Amino acid sequence: MTLLFEPQPAVRAKTSTGDEFPVRRVFCVGRNYAEHAREMGKDPDRDPPFYFTKWAETIVPSGSTIAYPPATSNYHYEAELVVAIDRPGRNIPAAEALDHVLGYATGLDMTRRDLQLKAREQGRPWDSGKNFEQASPLGLIHPVSEVGHLSTGAIKLTVNGETKQSADIADLIWPVTDIITFLSRMYHLEAGDLIYTGTPAGVGPVVTGDTIVVSIAGLSPTTVTVGPAVDA
Ligand code: MN
């Protein structure tokens, strides 16, 4: 038998301690801040947490130039706290959930908002709006031994220096413990999984040439510049 072509190597995220984190899967939480749920036209009090996924290959490191993606004219930023998992588990009890966390990072859940909203209206999957090349910029992963567990702290996003999102991760509707507990009832969590925990209010569009910076208190920022369109 012949291996028909070389498989892609694992995507490697960098940690603040100079190590590499092999990325397995990317889970994302939808509508996890009340003000953002409202700006998306939804009732934050009634909707239970839900998840969607992205390919590991969507991860790009902070400092990257990301191409303006095809098939959209409404390309949005979403600043998010990202949780890095390094211990497998299913049906993880709340009291043990944080034991599965290696550390935390800043990140961006980049979104083709026009495609996402059209899919939502039509009751179709969100993949085309959420899961595309370079859609998940990620900052350095800071281990818990360095920064502890994050349940409070400012989260902020700027575009070309202007503040667009400003909130506190204490405002997460479902905090990290709940996110892990609920997710582990549906999937066997694995070392290498990343969880993007949702974005606060203030999402909006970017265009070629814009520089986006996500900061969360205690973590390294994620900085990306939007490059020319893929098909330009
Ligand atoms: Mn998001």
Side-chain angles (χ1 to χ4, degrees):
M1 278 192 291
T2 302
L3 184 63
L4 293 174
F5 48 87
E6 287 301 316
Q8 286 292 311
V11 173
R12 299 173 184 214
K14 293 200 181 325
T15 74
S16 61
T17 49
D19 297 318
E20 290 185 317
F21 177 91
V23 180
R24 180 155 178 154
R25 297 174 297 187
V26 180
F27 295 97
C28 303
V29 184
R31 295 195 286 266
N32 203 13
Y33 290 83
E35 281 303 315
H36 173 64
R38 289 187 197 101
E39 79 179 346
M40 298 302 289
K42 297 295 176 182
D43 180 350
D45 299 322
R46 284 177 31 206
D47 292 337
F50 66 96
Y51 303 85
F52 57 92
T53 57
K54 295 187 174 197
W55 306 312
E57 288 79 7
T58 61
I59 297 289
V60 292
S62 175
S64 298
T65 294
I66 53 175
Y68 194 99
T72 185
S73 55
N74 197 18
Y75 182 41
H76 274 210
Y77 53 78
E78 294 192 357
E80 307 207 359
L81 171 69
V82 182
V83 180
I85 301 292
D86 71 343
R87 264 186 56 194
R90 186 193 294 282
N91 295 324
I92 300 168
E96 296 172 16
L98 296 182
D99 298 342
H100 295 258
V101 176
L102 170 76
Y104 298 90
T106 56
L108 277 163
D109 171 18
M110 297 304 293
T111 301
R112 294 191 281 211
R113 189 72 70 199
D114 38 5
L115 299 189
Q116 183 213 1
L117 292 182
K118 189 165 185 217
R120 198 178 84 177
E121 277 164 26
Q122 296 177 323
R124 291 178 179 171
W126 286 11
D127 300 55
S128 63
K130 288 291 194 179
N131 190 17
F132 52 92
E133 291 82 359
Q134 301 184 308
S136 311
L138 183 70
L140 295 177
I141 298 168
H142 290 260
V144 169
S145 57
E146 181 187 317
V147 295
H149 287 289
L150 301 195
S151 56
T152 183
I155 176 170
K156 187 174 129 177
L157 178 142
T158 64
V159 177
N160 305 328
E162 186 183 332
T163 299
K164 301 288 190 181
Q165 294 185 284
S166 181
D168 196 292
I169 56 175
D171 298 332
L172 282 167
I173 295 171
W174 302 100
V176 174
T177 294
D178 292 334
I179 290 169
I180 291 171
T181 300
F182 291 134
L183 191 58
S184 75
R185 293 175 187 161
M186 291 191 286
Y187 301 98
H188 192 279
L189 288 186
E190 301 287 356
D193 288 343
L194 293 172
I195 309 172
Y196 282 60
T197 59
T199 198
V203 298
V206 284
V207 296
T208 297
D210 284 347
T211 295
I212 311 168
V213 180
V214 181
S215 30
I216 294 176
L219 302 179
S220 299
T222 293
T223 302
V224 293
T225 298
V226 181
V230 166
D231 45 8

